[in-house]
Amino acid sequence: MNALIKSATIVDSKSDFHNETVDILIEKGRISKIAKNIPNSQNFKEIKLDNLHVSQGWFDSSVSFGEPGYEERETISNGLKTAAYSGFTAVALNSNSNPVIDSYADITFVKSKAQNNGVSLYPIGALTHLSNGEDLAELYDMSSAGAVAFYDYQKPISNPNLMKIALQYASNFDGLVFSFPQESKISGLGVANEHINSTKLGLKGNPALAEELQVARDLFLLEYTEGKLHIPTISTAKSVELIRAAKAKKLNVTCSVAIHNLVFTDDVLQEFDTNYKVLPPLRTTSDCEALIEGLKDGTIDMVTTDHNPIDIEGKKIEFDYAKYGTIGLESAFGALQTLFTTKKTISLLTQGKSRFGIAESSINEGEVANLSLFNPDSSYTFETEHISSKSKNSAFLGMTLKGKTYGIVANNKIILR
């Protein structure tokens, strides 16, 4: 793939051209030249877009696509196209398909479906067989096939001894273990944050305590085993405190936060819109503020869209019975920019790769072209027409977002909207 990107402002602190507006010449998928003006003497494909900015390729540590088994929600092919249009060059795929991704063959299958794509897909294998929380899955075999971590998506491991054994076993091959932060006996049948709004609305409450107990338990287990732990999608102020203290003790722990848990509070539940039914649930303003502060001081290592397509039958029903989840790839950049500067937003979207063993690159001559293309200054109201996913269950519909994405240049391919 050969291309000439014209008049692009580079947003990459590792680049020799950070904050400069330049031309970028790409030959055979590699950046061959960066300069103020590069003539297109070889008649390469030109990329010239309004207020074009480029950064290192963005990474999402938690996406769900459905295939195999739930193709009516999303396919791997369309999911990766959606990721590309949304500016992501790499995604980690959850194991919550049917069948669950819990074997060498399953990892091989999903990787084969993503071959020759502009977006790199990194599969996360199930932690337990069939994600049933009873017996460990084939962790080493899946790691050999290319699994980057192990996670029973949104299913807490209730047996602490099983989590202990998982951390000990995976440490033999530097495996990364996820633990969903929820104590299921405390959360019970709760569908919304246990607080004033859940009481007013008559919704069963899922208390912050359920998350914090599980986080505290897992950090004790991590300290005992000296393993490698990732806690996905934390949502409470106390969870931030617990992880901050664990990092001060030099425990090998990272965590993420879903973008919707930064942007929305449980105040949005007044109309019982099931697009806001997510897990963990939307919390309070003080929780949002603590999560944002955790990102600023580095306690929280990465953001995720926690992109989870759900078909209309799973959402257009009573709140109590609706499935959890919102899509988030298409709205990620614009939503983050309502909270952070462009520089910080790009930093958040490019963090986390090293935790999953994914190579990082910079925008410099001689480097492989792995680029996200965007306009940071365009504001618009997010509507269904902006959604590329097969499912349309977005919590961000109707919200004013700042900044739009153009696409990516990665894996020797150009994918633009």
Side-chain angles (χ1 to χ4, degrees):
M1 178 270 294
N2 301 315
L4 177 60
I5 301 175
K6 299 291 290 183
S7 299
T9 302
I10 293 177
V11 184
D12 178 11
S13 59
K14 296 180 180 178
S15 172
D16 298 333
F17 301 89
H18 180 48
N19 284 336
E20 293 186 29
T21 301
V22 293
D23 291 355
I24 304 171
L25 182 64
I26 300 169
E27 297 183 87
K28 297 180 180 178
R30 193 174 289 273
I31 299 171
S32 60
K33 186 175 182 181
I34 302 175
K36 284 294 182 183
N37 183 43
I38 302 175
N40 193 0
S41 57
Q42 300 181 73
N43 199 30
F44 287 168
K45 177 180 175 64
E46 276 197 18
I47 301 174
K48 193 170 186 179
L49 300 163
D50 182 45
N51 193 32
L52 177 59
H53 287 58
V54 299
S55 73
Q56 295 179 39
W58 303 345
F59 169 64
D60 192 342
S61 62
S62 177
V63 302
S64 303
F65 287 154
E67 188 178 3
Y70 300 118
E71 287 85 354
E72 73 279 4
R73 299 178 186 176
E74 187 59 283
T75 62
I76 290 174
S77 174
N78 192 68
L80 292 175
K81 182 179 74 172
T82 298
Y85 288 168
S86 305
F88 292 88
T89 63
V91 297
L93 178 69
N94 291 312
S95 60
N96 57 328
S97 55
N98 185 19
V100 169
I101 301 169
D102 67 354
S103 70
Y104 185 103
D106 295 332
I107 297 294
T108 302
F109 170 77
V110 295
K111 287 187 69 177
S112 70
K113 298 290 287 188
Q115 276 186 340
N116 301 315
N117 199 288
V119 179
S120 298
L121 183 147
Y122 296 92
I124 298 173
L127 184 62
T128 65
H129 179 58
L130 301 178
S131 289
N132 62 13
E134 295 178 7
D135 302 295
L136 286 185
E138 302 169 2
L139 306 190
Y140 181 74
D141 283 354
M142 287 191 288
S143 177
S144 300
V148 293
F150 309 101
Y151 178 28
D152 291 348
Y153 181 69
Q154 292 191 344
K155 292 183 177 181
I157 302 298
S158 59
N159 182 347
N161 192 53
L162 184 63
M163 178 54 65
K164 183 199 76 172
I165 293 170
L167 287 165
Q168 289 173 325
Y169 177 64
S171 66
N172 290 311
F173 52 91
D174 198 33
L176 179 61
V177 173
F178 279 47
S179 181
F180 184 64
Q182 180 171 285
E183 212 300 324
S184 53
K185 289 182 176 62
I186 298 290
S187 61
L189 299 175
V191 295
N193 181 47
E194 184 181 88
H195 201 247
I196 295 169
N197 283 319
S198 63
T199 303
K200 284 181 179 178
L201 299 171
L203 295 172
K204 297 181 182 70
N206 180 344
L209 176 66
E211 175 171 312
E212 294 150 8
L213 276 176
Q214 193 83 343
V215 169
R217 183 205 76 170
D218 289 337
L219 292 173
F220 274 115
L221 291 171
L222 178 65
E223 187 171 15
Y224 178 82
T225 60
E226 298 182 348
K228 185 176 180 181
L229 178 67
H230 180 74
I231 304 176
T233 59
I234 64 171
S235 68
T236 78
K238 184 67 174 177
S239 292
V240 178
E241 289 180 24
L242 290 166
I243 293 167
R244 185 178 286 126
K247 289 190 169 188
K249 294 165 72 172
K250 307 299 183 184
L251 298 188
N252 193 353
V253 61
T254 52
C255 64
S256 67
V257 61
I259 295 171
H260 48 262
N261 283 106
L262 297 171
V263 174
F264 302 112
T265 69
D266 58 358
D267 289 337
V268 300
L269 300 180
Q270 303 296 329
E271 302 299 322
F272 298 95
D273 185 342
T274 57
N275 283 333
Y276 296 118
K277 186 179 180 183
V278 291
L279 196 66
L282 303 175
R283 304 286 188 185
T284 66
T285 299
S286 59
D287 289 312
C288 288
E289 290 171 350
L291 293 165
I292 290 170
E293 186 57 36
L295 283 169
K296 289 179 177 178
D297 69 17
T299 300
I300 302 176
D301 301 89
M302 61 196 84
V303 296
T304 174
T305 66
D306 206 25
H307 181 84
N308 191 5
I310 303 294
D311 53 68
I312 193 169
E313 289 82 2
K315 280 294 187 181
K316 292 293 183 181
I317 53 177
E318 295 92 335
F319 198 93
D320 277 347
Y321 302 110
K323 293 185 182 299
Y324 291 102
T326 175
I327 57 172
L329 286 169
E330 296 97 327
S331 53
F333 176 62
L336 283 172
Q337 283 225 129
T338 66
L339 301 173
F340 302 101
T341 64
T342 297
K343 180 182 177 182
K344 183 62 177 178
T345 295
I346 298 306
S347 174
L348 294 174
L349 288 170
T350 53
Q351 286 174 194
K353 295 177 187 177
S354 61
R355 187 60 167 172
F356 294 81
I358 300 169
E360 299 183 68
S361 61
S362 61
I363 305 178
N364 282 304
E365 293 177 358
E367 293 275 359
V368 171
N370 186 276
L371 309 173
S372 299
L373 283 63
F374 57 95
N375 176 352
D377 300 324
S378 174
S379 293
Y380 66 102
T381 301
F382 188 68
E383 304 289 359
T384 305
E385 66 194 57
H386 300 117
I387 295 176
S388 303
S389 302
K390 288 182 70 175
S391 296
K392 312 301 178 185
N393 56 305
S394 173
F396 297 89
L397 286 169
M399 181 179 172
T400 299
L401 304 183
K402 184 185 178 186
K404 65 181 180 180
T405 55
Y406 289 124
I408 63 170
V409 176
N411 286 343
N412 219 12
K413 288 181 170 53
I414 301 168
I415 305 175
L416 301 175
R417 282 189 184 273

